[in-house]
Amino acid sequence: MKIDPWSSAQFQDYAKLRDEFGISEFNAEKLPSPPKLFRRGVVFGQRGFELIEDAILNKKKFAVLSGLMPSGNMHIGHKMVIDQINYFAELGGVVFVAIADIEAYATRNISIEKAREIAIEQYVVNYIALGLKQCQIYFQTKRKEVKDLAWFLAKKINWSEMKAIYGFDNSTSMAHVHSPLIQVGDILHVQLAKFCSPCPTIVPVGVDQDPHIRLTRGVVNSFRLYNATLTKDNKIGVFVKGDENVSELLNLAEKKLKEIGFNELEKIPSYKALYVLKAKTEDIQKIDEQLIEIEFQFNKGMQTTFYQPSSTYHRFMTGLAGDKMSSSKPESSIFLTDLPFEVKEKIKKCKTGGAISLEEQRKYGGKPEECVVYEIFLYHLIEKDEELNEIFVRCKRGELLCGECKKYCSQLMEKWLKEFKEKREAAKEKVKEYLRGD
Ligand code: TRP
Ligand code: SF4
């Protein structure tokens, strides 16, 4: 199995996907007032989320970054990323949003000018109308730091790795080959001193973006000067990775760790190691924070030490006919700019989990877990868990029938779109404020 970020494959079995790629389960229990996408398992996986949870619970600084390619119209599936960004922003995250104009050019054959036009007229207006507050929205083409990092960090990524992750071959254009590196630049540039210093960064995305996250986490690791791990005998080993400045790095680590209260240390220079005795597994994170700080001082010229980005993965929305919701298939999607009558027609035709006849449905009930209408309620339209649950139960019992259910769905959707249209109008005036400098 391969995840291709540029194909339109639909994933069915998310638990299997998670296991196969070593994605961890997402659990929002400790977070304050988790939003519905978190409560309902729409966000189903994560990498390195402990760092963000720790930052949130202990009120430490963290950055939030995501991005979209400006191609086609935005549909309600795209809204999920913005919903998550808004939640993390409320908890104190510093927000950045990339407009992937280079990627659109490299992989979708959209000119930079066209991408800019689509982004400004559609995406940025939608972002603001969806409630994105104080943040930096920027174009990949306009951020020198993003492009510099893409170039610089590529030093430790080789061709066989790119082929293994993305399935590139001899016919892949170099612009396409390079575009994931630009995304690495997007994700990490927020940790430059000029932006947010090194700090944990959460990247909420659809699971199709996982290859880029893996690439970024890998390259961060390659540039680290230290490696802190739990050893077999329950110590934490801090190892210096290269052969340069070994004793100085060991001494600096020793000093720093003593300062924060780890007094029982054992230094073995021949192993390039400093062992922390009587430490707990959770201490690794605290220790690594100190090591990153030391490395940061050691970086000469371009900054090369970063926190590995954390990610959350959401499921995709099913298209209205049961396939994938996609901008390139208007009949499959509900666009943020659809008119009420269009939506009514779309919902009327969409696939449900209803039985073949009314009689059968009354007798045996429907299948909300296979129903697109139910999914739209679950992802977007119904806030209260009790109300959603009632629909589920009444559908199962055959008390609720699809006609009535669809009618309710289009009422809610039309109301939402009508309000959204007004918000879009108001947002148009603010676009310039959000694009300062870009
Ligand atoms: N590749 C993403 C897409 O296909 C867009 C994107 C660019 C992005 N840079 C990013 C997403 C950084 C998350 C983080 O839509
Ligand atoms: Fe879906 Fe509603 Fe029909 Fe149940 S009653 S299958 S939830 S449309």
Side-chain angles (χ1 to χ4, degrees):
M1 193 150 73
K2 192 166 237 127
I3 304 178
D4 179 348
W6 302 285
S7 91
S8 52
Q10 157 107 303
F11 304 104
Q12 293 293 346
D13 190 342
Y14 287 96
K16 186 162 161 244
L17 192 75
R18 193 168 56 200
D19 293 344
E20 190 150 330
F21 288 93
I23 295 171
S24 309
E25 219 175 310
F26 182 73
N27 183 333
E29 267 166 30
K30 289 195 203 145
L31 298 179
S33 350
K36 60 182 183 308
L37 295 178
F38 287 3
R39 297 194 307 267
R40 297 174 186 170
V42 177
V43 174
F44 70 98
Q46 50 94 2
R47 287 188 195 270
F49 193 72
E50 329 64 73
L51 282 182
I52 302 303
E53 192 175 270
D54 173 64
I56 290 171
L57 298 178
N58 297 303
K59 307 227 174 302
K60 297 187 204 162
K61 183 164 71 174
F62 70 102
V64 187
L65 171 127
S66 196
L68 285 173
M69 249 197 281
S71 61
N73 284 331
M74 273 179 81
H75 56 62
I76 52 172
H78 291 125
K79 176 175 173 288
M80 288 188 276
V81 162
I82 308 298
D83 287 345
Q84 282 194 69
I85 294 180
N86 287 337
Y87 172 73
F88 289 122
E90 245 164 65
L91 297 176
V94 183
V95 177
F96 299 81
V97 182
I99 296 173
D101 56 349
I102 295 184
E103 188 184 1
Y105 169 75
T107 68
R108 294 266 193 269
N109 212 13
I110 295 175
S111 73
I112 295 293
E113 297 72 28
K114 185 71 192 164
R116 187 174 179 86
E117 189 187 307
I118 300 174
I120 291 179
E121 283 170 14
Q122 296 265 342
Y123 285 64
V124 180
V125 175
N126 288 335
Y127 292 162
I128 302 170
L130 288 171
L132 209 61
K133 301 242 163 52
Q134 270 208 337
C135 68
Q136 295 188 31
I137 303 176
Y138 70 91
F139 289 86
Q140 289 176 326
T141 45
K142 300 277 177 178
R143 254 202 194 171
K144 180 176 184 302
E145 293 82 0
V146 168
K147 293 185 280 188
D148 283 353
L149 280 176
W151 190 88
F152 205 89
L153 298 178
K155 178 88 176 171
K156 292 198 192 230
I157 300 171
N158 63 33
W159 177 226
S160 73
E161 191 182 352
M162 292 301 274
K163 280 193 290 189
I165 297 182
Y166 298 104
F168 292 156
D169 60 33
N170 289 348
S171 69
T172 312
S173 89
M174 287 309 291
H176 192 159
V177 169
H178 190 64
S179 70
L181 303 175
I182 296 282
Q183 186 153 342
V184 170
D186 282 327
I187 295 172
L188 296 179
H189 91 283
V190 304
Q191 294 192 42
L192 296 174
K194 176 173 170 189
F195 298 96
C196 216
S197 283
C199 70
T201 306
I202 178 73
V203 187
V205 280
V207 69
D208 64 323
Q209 298 296 301
D210 185 52
H212 304 311
I213 303 289
R214 267 183 277 142
L215 180 72
T216 313
R217 288 173 63 87
V219 76
V220 165
N221 218 4
S222 311
F223 272 98
R224 287 294 308 270
L225 304 179
Y226 294 104
N227 173 25
T229 51
L230 204 63
T231 63
K232 281 192 213 85
D233 40 1
N234 278 327
K235 293 183 269 191
I236 291 176
V238 173
F239 301 96
V240 173
K241 283 167 58 185
D243 290 321
E244 281 167 42
N245 309 312
V246 176
S247 60
E248 190 181 357
L249 282 165
L250 286 178
N251 291 343
L252 284 169
E254 187 179 25
K255 186 159 161 266
K256 267 270 190 210
L257 295 188
K258 278 198 175 140
E259 272 169 26
I260 60 160
F262 292 101
N263 290 314
E264 297 201 44
L265 301 171
E266 184 185 357
K267 193 164 60 178
I268 309 186
S270 58
Y271 292 0
K272 301 195 277 185
L274 177 72
Y275 293 100
V276 185
L277 314 179
K278 294 198 185 146
K280 298 183 290 285
T281 320
E282 313 87 85
D283 290 332
I284 286 201
Q285 204 169 302
K286 211 156 86 189
I287 289 172
D288 206 40
E289 267 169 40
Q290 301 300 316
L291 301 176
I292 284 179
E293 229 167 77
I294 301 172
E295 286 184 34
F296 196 42
Q297 307 302 321
F298 253 77
N299 290 168
K300 302 272 182 292
M302 192 79 176
Q303 182 185 325
T304 48
T305 295
F306 300 91
Y307 282 88
Q308 279 192 323
S310 311
S311 50
T312 53
Y313 302 108
H314 63 72
R315 295 167 188 251
F316 290 106
M317 280 210 79
T318 311
L320 300 177
D323 48 353
K324 192 186 168 185
M325 193 170 281
S326 153
S327 308
S328 54
K329 289 182 293 175
E331 66 293 349
S332 76
S333 312
I334 296 177
F335 293 112
L336 297 178
T337 44
D338 271 350
L339 299 169
F341 80 88
E342 290 174 305
V343 160
K344 203 182 223 159
E345 282 309 306
K346 285 181 180 178
I347 292 178
K348 218 183 249 170
K349 285 194 221 134
C350 89
K351 180 183 165 284
T352 70
I356 320 171
S357 68
L358 283 185
E359 206 170 67
E360 290 240 328
Q361 188 157 346
R362 284 210 183 90
K363 207 159 156 194
Y364 303 111
K367 291 188 182 134
E369 59 285 313
E370 291 172 18
C371 173
V372 177
V373 177
Y374 184 76
E375 195 184 284
I376 299 174
F377 286 143
L378 183 140
Y379 280 52
H380 294 295
L381 293 174
I382 293 182
E383 236 10 91
K384 289 207 179 84
D385 292 344
E386 304 82 60
E387 188 187 351
L388 185 71
N389 194 38
E390 198 183 312
I391 293 180
F392 188 91
V393 170
R394 288 184 57 223
C395 168
K396 280 271 183 204
R397 285 195 197 129
E399 290 167 16
L400 182 64
L401 298 176
C402 298
E404 184 192 337
C405 204
K406 281 179 165 177
K407 208 163 144 200
Y408 184 49
C409 182
S410 34
Q411 267 170 12
L412 291 180
M413 199 70 237
E414 282 173 54
K415 178 167 177 283
W416 190 89
L417 285 170
K418 193 165 158 271
E419 288 167 9
F420 189 67
K421 188 160 184 272
E422 284 161 21
K423 289 185 192 155
R424 273 177 58 90
E425 286 311 314
K428 282 180 186 162
E429 326 221 307
K430 296 197 198 142
V431 169
K432 277 218 175 76
E433 263 170 60
Y434 279 74
L435 290 178
R436 236 171 308 160
D438 281 292

